Amino acid sequence: MRAPQETAMNARINSGLYCAAALLLAACTSKVVEVPPLPATTPDATSTATTMDDYKSALAQRIVAVNSTQVYIGRPQALLRAVIVVKYYVNADGQLLRAEILRTNKDRKAEASALAAVRKAAPFPKPDSKFLRRGEVEIAESWLFNDDGRFQLRSIAERQMDE
């Protein structure tokens, strides 16, 4: 028969092992990242957005969905690494015509990332004809970059953290 001290020590060791195993398992679980759903369209891929703001949000959702590994989930940090404003143009068929940097803090990596995200997300849902001006829609969107290089789009981002 074991001594009471030995039994108590074994119980503490086993308890410690169980706690360590639980911590390791908890650390191994990955956070499920929810990507916004793709924007709603009609059977011919025309956006169902009824306002220009809704259409802009739909395009932002598409950019985020296609570039989900580069998107920061949660509230953006208080002091952002970069804010890049991109102006891009979509034609009646949803094709990206061109994209250009409108505003930058000269972070070339962030600029390249923003432009690449727009290009990768094309083609977009077709705009309703009421949004077209000279056969195209002009969108200006702000990319909010955290220190780690991931971004959110201002039109669908959560409120920024306080300092």
Side-chain angles (χ1 to χ4, degrees):
M1 181 156 245
R2 293 184 181 181
Q5 292 173 335
E6 186 180 343
T7 303
M9 181 183 272
N10 284 340
R12 279 184 286 193
I13 290 171
N14 286 339
S15 176
L17 289 174
Y18 289 131
C19 288
L23 288 172
L24 284 172
L25 285 173
C28 290
T29 59
S30 60
K31 182 180 176 184
V32 175
V33 176
E34 289 190 31
V35 175
L38 288 175
T41 60
T42 63
D44 76 342
T46 301
S47 173
T48 58
T50 57
T51 67
M52 191 58 191
D53 283 342
D54 288 344
Y55 184 63
K56 179 180 178 179
S57 292
L59 298 188
Q61 289 173 345
R62 168 124 180 104
I63 293 167
V64 165
V66 171
N67 297 281
S68 62
T69 60
Q70 296 173 286
V71 174
Y72 180 80
I73 304 300
R75 293 173 62 191
Q77 65 193 42
L79 296 174
L80 295 167
R81 167 182 156 182
V83 176
I84 307 294
V85 180
V86 175
K87 185 183 339 180
Y88 61 102
Y89 301 84
V90 176
N91 72 9
D93 292 327
Q95 298 299 317
L96 179 65
L97 298 174
R98 62 194 175 281
E100 59 194 43
I101 302 293
L102 247 186
R103 178 178 170 249
T104 182
N105 64 339
K106 305 296 183 203
D107 184 329
R108 299 294 179 226
K109 206 170 185 182
E111 290 174 6
S113 179
L115 290 171
V118 173
R119 290 183 187 117
K120 185 177 177 184
F124 296 101
K126 297 175 186 175
D128 188 297
S129 60
K130 67 184 173 190
F131 302 142
L132 295 171
R133 301 289 177 259
R134 295 178 310 278
E136 62 189 24
V137 174
E138 177 184 312
I139 304 287
E141 180 66 76
S142 298
W143 267 250
L144 311 174
F145 283 89
N146 275 353
D147 287 336
D148 64 5
R150 293 181 297 156
F151 64 84
Q152 284 191 0
L153 299 180
R154 177 159 295 180
S155 60
I156 59 173
E158 292 184 37
R159 196 172 58 80
Q160 209 171 334
M161 288 184 194
D162 295 333
E163 290 186 46

